[in-house]
Amino acid sequence: MTMSASRVDRPPFDTTMSNTDIVLVILSDAGGHQRLVDIEDIAEAAWQAVPARFSWPRHQQYPDLDAVDVTLRAAKKNDKLVTGSKKEGWMLTPGGI
């Protein structure tokens, strides 16, 4: 895998994967296992990977920051897979790696 500015070249995500699993893989690819990653970088990569799930409903040419934020907040609250916030950035916990 090679990483460009905000994207990892990989096979497409399986359509049965949950949004949480997709976002966690993207966060890891962006270095989130070692450092905080800005939500805009995560949202852009998620949108590039699966635009139908991570775009505005009526304007799919735009990434949906809220779809990623809701996913990350749920992963933090329910499963303790990530730490951080929309303001400070997000990072994987040992449970999310």
Side-chain angles (χ1 to χ4, degrees), residues 2-97:
T2 59
M3 181 120 182
S4 61
S6 63
R7 178 180 145 90
V8 171
D9 294 321
R10 67 166 55 258
F13 283 100
D14 183 325
T15 58
T16 62
M17 284 183 76
S18 69
N19 284 359
T20 300
D21 288 341
I22 293 168
V23 169
L24 292 178
V25 168
I26 288 168
L27 179 56
S28 178
D29 288 345
H33 56 287
Q34 298 175 328
R35 63 178 173 80
L36 291 167
V37 178
D38 191 89
I39 191 162
E40 290 180 0
D41 296 328
I42 304 164
E44 181 182 9
W47 170 72
Q48 288 176 351
V50 191
R53 291 197 200 180
F54 297 103
S55 63
W56 291 5
R58 290 183 36 218
H59 300 281
Q60 291 197 347
Q61 71 271 28
Y62 300 116
D64 187 350
L65 201 66
D66 289 333
V68 173
D69 186 50
V70 166
T71 301
L72 287 165
R73 284 187 290 119
K76 178 181 180 179
K77 179 180 178 183
N78 300 333
D79 303 316
K80 311 288 190 257
L81 300 174
V82 297
T83 187
S85 68
K86 190 174 187 176
K87 183 177 179 178
E88 70 180 283
W90 293 93
M91 185 173 178
L92 294 165
T93 63
I97 295 178

